């Protein structure tokens, strides 16, 4: 046990004396959090809307006011209909709303006037979102007019959309769980596979294996510091998310941390597995980056929803641990569900972790010295 | 040398599939002896050492290291040996003292004993000024001496040296052999592989492996006389020429 403690201390020396390791361990989580929190957003903000108003009546102006009041939109006045395309090209506007002549009169007469909404679909995501805002603004106005005018008009079906769990559609809420998965993969799998192959590369692994330390002790000693630091990272991200970005943590914190712990073990097992199959740090890094980080970003539903992937990729996504972890953690944090809603995904993670652990322990005993 | 041999091999064999890396080798090494284990690359030296140090299970034959069976008493074998590989195997980013204490620690030395021993060692190596320098800042010859001293810090009965002098200049090599003799004089058995045939002449006895078999075994003088050659180098070339594997 004494030998083991010395081993863990040595491992901390390696970490704290290597600036690159330190940057990856502690800098990355914070930098990524800031990046995803502030810079990378898919919600729209201050989108310029050109309003071409041929009606100039109270209805068109009321709707324009409404658009103006939205924190997502910014009305650009004075653009003529024929100039819309040019405004799009110059980036002066992303959306153009045109009200027809006699808009209010037609509206009251129930003649269904047409409001033209043109969007710059260079960025389809923004275009869609803005379209939805504008439609909603017109819709609400319509409801108000109908109700104030005594409901004499033929009743029309009115949609009242409500965004549950994340009413403001803030993307940081969506990104935080993915970020936790990404950083845990980075710290646990990438860093452990590198640190173990490093010992092989410099030849110290041989000495360790010849020593009375058992292979299991060597491995646990090597991953222990990363386990501790990963937990520190999880807590840091959660604190940043909840205090700075006001991401809610609606479910049980204990359950959340327990699931993170499970995912950490899973990622550590993957890191060990990679290190038993490779003998140089470079190869270990390439495999970790291409084989683990990339799928974690692309196939897990972190950024792109799994449901909108082509069928073959959806099948591949099943073997990406982060996919299951994301479902679990989004459930706990954002929807506030308990274990009863996510036990299946948890079970999948437990299964994967077991498989990786068994595979890496097997590979370890046989091949570590190569 | 009346006590039991430090190492006994009887028909020790290791096969990898249909390939026989080590083919029934037998020899004994006496306590306190400096035993040179020679062979071309691919002759099976490394496989043999790995079996004797408990890294690899033999597929046939028997062996005892410091009286412990290499099949059933691997842990006891590991505790009674020291090992230094050709790559020096110290941690670049730890200081001299930290390296010494780390390796002493994994062999289960107690803290007070460890401080005592590392202090003594640093003094003996005349490295007081460098005790808190990172290993990476020291010249190769120094690192090699530290690596050897670390390998024998826990006072093993036998120390295995796998090409310990690769890549260093002749003067440093000579100094390194002084360290080896010093340990042997204290009764430590030294099992050493080398590429340098002049070093073979320093050993009490040498064995030469060719294609997984031991083709020659004896003191340098006996071997030279027996084969009618002037040096171990000539003998090595003579024997290795018959070999099919390796590049020598």
């Amino acid at each position: 046990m004494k030998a083991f403690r010395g081993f863990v201390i040595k491992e901390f020396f390696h970490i704290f004396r290597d600036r690159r390791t330190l940057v990856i361990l502690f800098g990355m989580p914070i930098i990524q959090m800031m990046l995803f929190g502030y810079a990378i957003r898919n919600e729209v903000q201050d989108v310029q809307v050109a309003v071409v108003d041929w009606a100039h009546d109270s209805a068109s102006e009321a709707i324009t006011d409404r658009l103006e009041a939205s924190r997502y939109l910014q009305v650009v006045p004075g653009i003529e209909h024929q100039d819309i395309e040019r405004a799009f090209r110059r980036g002066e506007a992303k959306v153009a709303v045109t009200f027809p002549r006699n808009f209010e009169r037609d509206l009251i007469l129930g003649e269904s006037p047409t409001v033209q909404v043109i969007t710059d679909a260079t960025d389809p995501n923004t275009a869609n979102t803005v379209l939805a805002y504008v439609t909603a603004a017109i819709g609400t106005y319509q409801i108000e007019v109908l109700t104030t005018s005594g409901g004499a008009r033929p009743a029309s079906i009115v949609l009242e959309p409500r965004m549950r769990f994340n009413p403001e559609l803030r993307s940081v809420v969506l990104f935080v769980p993915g970020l936790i998965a990404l950083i845990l993969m980075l710290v646990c799998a990438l860093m452990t596979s590198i640190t173990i192959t490093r010992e092989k590369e410099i030849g110290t692994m041989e000495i360790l294996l010849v020593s009375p330390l058992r292979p299991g002790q060597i491995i646990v000693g090597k991953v222990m510091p990363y386990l501790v630091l990963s937990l520190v990272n999880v807590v840091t991200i959660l604190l940043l998310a909840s205090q700075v970005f006001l991401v809610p943590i609606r479910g049980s914190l204990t359950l959340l941390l327990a699931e993170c712990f499970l995912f950490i073990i899973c990622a550590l097992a993957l890191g060990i597995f990679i290190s038993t199959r490779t003998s140089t740090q470079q190869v270990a890094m390439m495999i970790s980056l291409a084989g683990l980080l990339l799928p974690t970003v692309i196939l897990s539903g972190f950024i792109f929803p799994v449901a909108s992937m082509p069928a073959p990729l959806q099948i591949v996504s099943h073997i990406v641990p982060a996919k299951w972890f994301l479902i679990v953690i989004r459930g706990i944090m954002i929807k506030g569900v308990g274990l009863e809603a996510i036990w299946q995904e948890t079970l999948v993670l437990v299964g994967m972790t077991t498989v990786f652990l068994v595979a890496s322990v097997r590979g370890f005993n046989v091949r570590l010295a190569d | 040398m009346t006590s039991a041999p430090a190492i006994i091999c009887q028909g020790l064999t290791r096969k990898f599939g249909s390939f026989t890396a080590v083919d029934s080798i037998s020899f004994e090494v006496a306590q306190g002896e400096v035993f040179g284990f020679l062979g071309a690359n691919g002759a099976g030296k490394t496989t043999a050492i790995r079996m004797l140090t408990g890294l690899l299970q033999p597929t046939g034959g028997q062996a005892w290291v410091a009286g412990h069976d290499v099949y059933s008493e691997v842990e006891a074998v590991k505790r009674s040996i020291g090992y230094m590989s050709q790559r020096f195997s110290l941690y670049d980013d730890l200081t001299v003292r930290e390296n010494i204490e780390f390796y002493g620690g994994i062999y289960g030395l107690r803290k007070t004993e460890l401080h005592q021993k590392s202090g003594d060692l640093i003094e003996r190596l005349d490295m007081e000024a460098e005790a808190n320098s990172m290993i990476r800042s020291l010249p190769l010859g120094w690192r090699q001496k530290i690596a050897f001293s670390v390998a024998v810090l826990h006072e093993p009965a036998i120390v295995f040296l796998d090409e310990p002098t690769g890549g260093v200049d002749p003067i440093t090599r000579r100094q390194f052999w002084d360290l080896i003799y010093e340990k042997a004089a204290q009764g430590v058995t030294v099992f050493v592989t080398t590429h340098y045939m002049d070093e073979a002449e320093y050993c009490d006895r040498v064995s030469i492996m060719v294609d997984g078999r031991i083709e020659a075994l004896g003191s340098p003088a006996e071997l030279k006389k027996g084969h009618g050659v002037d040096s171990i180098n000539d003998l090595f070339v003579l024997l290795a020429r018959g070999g099919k594997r390796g590049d020598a």
Side-chain angles (χ1 to χ4, degrees):
Chain A
M1 209 50 220
K2 203 160 249 144
F4 179 71
R5 222 182 58 193
F7 196 102
V8 175
I9 293 172
K10 178 214 83 166
E11 213 53 45
F12 274 109
F13 276 144
H14 289 323
I15 294 171
F16 287 109
R17 283 181 186 168
D18 184 26
R19 202 169 299 155
R20 275 185 310 177
T21 308
L22 275 182
V23 167
I24 295 182
L25 278 182
F26 296 106
M28 286 292 269
I30 294 171
I31 292 170
Q32 297 217 11
M33 191 69 211
M34 293 299 162
L35 264 179
F36 281 108
Y38 285 121
I40 305 175
R41 298 178 160 209
N42 56 15
E43 74 248 35
V44 291
Q45 206 159 23
D46 294 336
V47 173
Q48 293 100 329
V49 183
V51 175
V52 181
D53 192 350
W54 285 339
H56 274 298
D57 49 30
S58 61
S60 72
E61 271 159 21
I63 293 173
T64 307
D65 285 348
R66 212 171 275 277
L67 296 180
E68 186 110 57
S70 159
R71 52 182 274 231
Y72 305 107
L73 308 177
Q74 190 191 348
V75 172
V76 187
I79 293 180
E80 294 302 317
H81 195 259
Q82 64 270 21
D83 295 334
I84 290 173
E85 183 128 344
R86 205 172 50 170
F88 280 2
R89 281 189 211 286
R90 290 187 180 170
E92 289 163 357
K94 291 244 180 242
V95 190
V97 181
T98 307
F99 295 101
R101 282 180 221 289
N102 305 325
F103 176 60
E104 186 177 21
R105 197 201 63 194
D106 289 356
L107 197 65
I108 291 170
L109 291 178
E111 290 192 353
S112 310
T114 311
V115 176
Q116 186 187 43
V117 180
I118 308 173
T119 55
D120 172 359
T122 320
D123 174 358
N125 205 359
T126 308
N128 267 330
T129 321
V130 171
L131 188 59
Y133 285 136
V134 175
T135 316
I138 296 172
T140 358
Y141 175 78
Q142 220 170 351
I143 299 162
E144 277 171 23
V145 171
L146 287 175
T147 37
T148 48
S149 62
R153 308 294 146 213
S156 52
I157 296 167
V158 177
L159 286 181
E160 192 195 343
R162 283 183 63 200
M163 303 297 183
R164 284 286 285 135
F165 307 121
N166 183 12
E168 296 154 79
L169 300 176
R170 292 193 308 142
S171 48
V172 68
V173 173
L174 188 71
F175 282 142
V176 163
L179 205 56
I180 294 177
L182 182 67
I183 285 169
L184 291 183
M185 267 293 160
L186 192 77
V187 171
C188 300
L190 178 70
M191 298 305 281
T192 46
S193 67
I194 288 179
T195 180
I196 295 174
T197 44
R198 178 168 173 265
E199 298 246 8
K200 289 193 192 182
E201 231 176 66
I202 60 177
T204 44
M205 188 54 91
E206 232 178 312
I207 308 289
L208 296 178
L209 286 170
V210 173
S211 83
L213 281 178
R214 291 165 185 281
Q217 285 181 308
I218 298 176
I219 283 303
V220 176
K222 289 229 63 117
V223 303
M224 184 71 87
Y226 292 96
L227 180 82
V228 173
L229 295 175
S230 306
L231 283 172
V232 171
N233 271 331
V234 169
V235 173
T236 314
I237 298 173
L238 288 179
L239 274 177
L240 266 178
S242 61
Q243 301 306 310
V244 179
F245 296 102
L246 307 175
V247 175
I249 300 174
R250 298 201 173 90
S252 147
L253 191 61
T254 320
L255 181 62
L256 182 64
L257 290 177
E259 295 278 358
C260 286
F261 189 78
L262 174 63
F263 189 67
I264 289 174
I265 301 291
C266 182
L268 285 176
L270 272 170
I272 298 167
F273 181 72
I274 290 174
S275 64
T276 58
R277 296 294 192 274
T278 52
S279 47
T280 65
Q281 295 180 67
Q282 269 200 327
V283 175
M285 194 165 89
M286 292 309 292
I287 293 180
S288 303
L289 286 176
L292 298 180
L293 287 186
L294 222 52
T296 300
V297 174
I298 295 173
L299 293 179
S300 67
F302 175 10
I303 296 175
F304 313 111
V306 174
S308 59
M309 290 175 195
L313 279 185
Q314 287 197 31
I315 292 167
V316 176
S317 80
H318 288 322
I319 59 163
V320 178
K323 178 200 151 165
W324 306 99
F325 179 64
L326 275 189
I327 299 174
V328 164
I329 201 171
R330 278 180 181 154
I332 300 173
M333 282 183 72
I334 303 168
K335 297 186 193 161
V337 299
L339 197 57
E340 72 285 343
I342 49 169
W343 64 272
Q344 282 165 310
E345 287 81 5
T346 306
L347 218 56
V348 172
L349 276 178
V350 170
M352 284 181 162
T353 308
T354 315
V355 169
F356 295 141
L357 273 179
V358 169
S360 56
V361 166
R362 281 199 173 171
F364 183 75
N365 289 331
V366 189
R367 312 197 194 201
L368 197 64
D370 296 346
Chain B
M1 297 191 188
T2 48
S3 46
I7 302 172
I8 306 171
C9 285
Q10 289 173 357
L12 194 65
T13 302
R14 173 71 207 202
K15 291 184 180 178
F16 294 102
S18 61
F19 172 73
T20 308
V22 172
D23 189 359
S24 188
I25 56 171
S26 301
F27 59 87
E28 289 185 1
V29 181
Q31 275 184 28
E33 192 175 17
V34 178
F35 188 81
F37 197 60
L38 314 183
N41 290 334
K45 278 179 307 178
T46 307
T47 308
I49 287 197
R50 296 179 75 182
M51 287 192 283
L52 293 176
T53 52
L55 282 182
L56 197 64
Q57 276 258 327
T59 50
Q62 286 172 305
W64 291 267
V65 174
H68 304 295
D69 184 359
V70 297
Y71 289 95
S72 56
E73 299 170 293
V74 177
E75 295 307 314
V77 167
K78 286 181 172 181
R79 263 194 299 277
S80 30
I81 62 172
Y83 178 69
M84 174 185 169
S85 81
Q86 50 201 335
R87 291 190 284 183
F88 305 125
S89 319
L90 296 169
Y91 292 99
D92 260 4
D93 53 349
L94 300 188
T95 66
V96 174
R97 195 187 299 276
E98 283 163 357
N99 265 290
I100 297 172
E101 294 191 351
F102 169 69
Y103 279 115
I106 62 174
Y107 278 92
L109 295 186
R110 307 209 156 273
K111 213 167 191 170
T112 44
E113 200 184 355
L114 208 53
H115 282 308
Q116 177 73 31
K117 275 180 181 285
S118 62
D120 288 353
L121 177 59
I122 288 164
E123 201 184 312
R124 209 165 56 244
L125 291 172
D126 205 15
M127 289 188 188
E128 282 98 337
E130 289 81 17
N132 296 317
S133 312
M134 297 289 169
I135 285 289
R136 70 164 85 89
S137 65
L138 300 181
L140 195 60
W142 290 28
R143 286 191 239 173
Q144 186 189 41
K145 284 182 203 166
I146 299 167
F148 176 76
S149 308
V150 160
V152 295
L153 190 72
H154 58 290
E155 295 168 10
I158 304 166
V159 59
F160 288 85
L161 308 173
D162 190 3
E163 291 179 14
T165 53
V168 292
D169 62 86
I171 297 169
T172 316
R173 268 167 54 200
R174 185 63 243 190
Q175 290 173 345
F176 188 77
W177 274 86
D178 288 340
L179 283 178
I180 293 180
Y181 281 135
E182 196 183 304
K183 275 293 148 192
Q186 292 166 14
V188 176
T189 307
V190 180
F191 188 99
V192 57
T193 72
T194 179
H195 261 110
Y196 300 105
M197 291 304 144
D198 58 322
E199 290 186 349
E201 312 264 0
Y202 302 154
C203 299
D204 294 328
R205 281 194 307 148
V206 297
S207 72
I208 299 180
M209 262 185 106
V210 179
D211 288 357
R213 297 171 160 279
I214 290 183
E215 293 291 341
L217 177 68
S219 73
E222 278 167 24
L223 287 178
K224 281 185 281 192
K225 209 173 144 199
H227 289 81
V229 291
D230 294 332
S231 66
I232 292 292
N233 191 38
D234 291 347
L235 175 62
F236 185 79
V237 172
L238 184 76
L239 292 174
R241 200 173 286 152
K244 309 244 182 313
R245 318 200 299 234
D247 51 14

